[in-house]
Amino acid sequence: MSVKLQKEGQYNDKNELVDLYIPRKCAITNKVIPAKDKSSVQINIGQVDESGRYTGRNLIYAFSGFIRKQGRADAELEELLTKAGLYPHRD
């Protein structure tokens, strides 16, 4: 017996995900960002190959309005990119 795993949400007759709202999580606090948080942002960073061409893949970072209001988003993004190996390490 095989089990097919699907993302949670509503599906149509063609088995396509049709949800209009898929909640995001803050990359720092790991809490769900509510739909009414108008000061939250999502940053998509495209990945490129060695020749500099876009590969079609993204790194996605979402920051809640709470983190942005504290002024921590810049430093936290820099730390996340350093951990991912995309930003030079400071000595």
Side-chain angles (χ1 to χ4, degrees):
M1 183 173 150
S2 66
V3 177
K4 185 177 180 184
L5 299 177
Q6 288 184 327
K7 288 184 180 179
E8 291 185 25
Q10 294 180 344
Y11 289 86
N12 62 10
D13 294 337
K14 297 177 185 175
N15 207 22
E16 299 169 333
L17 185 63
V18 292
D19 278 339
L20 296 178
Y21 174 70
I22 298 173
R24 299 175 293 161
K25 282 184 135 183
C26 179
I28 308 307
T29 62
N30 212 22
K31 293 182 180 179
V32 174
I33 299 173
K36 297 285 183 177
D37 188 352
K38 301 300 182 190
S39 59
S40 64
V41 295
Q42 177 174 311
I43 299 174
N44 299 333
I45 300 173
Q47 294 181 348
V48 295
D49 59 13
E50 52 278 345
S51 65
R53 291 188 185 139
Y54 177 60
T55 63
R57 299 181 54 119
N58 293 323
L59 288 176
I60 302 171
Y61 296 110
F63 297 104
S64 65
F66 173 74
I67 294 295
R68 295 187 65 220
K69 286 175 191 167
Q70 291 181 339
R72 293 177 34 201
D74 300 6
E76 298 290 351
L77 179 61
E78 183 179 328
E79 185 176 331
L80 289 169
L81 292 175
T82 301
K83 286 181 183 176
L86 299 174
Y87 198 79
H89 180 68
R90 287 183 278 155
D91 291 333

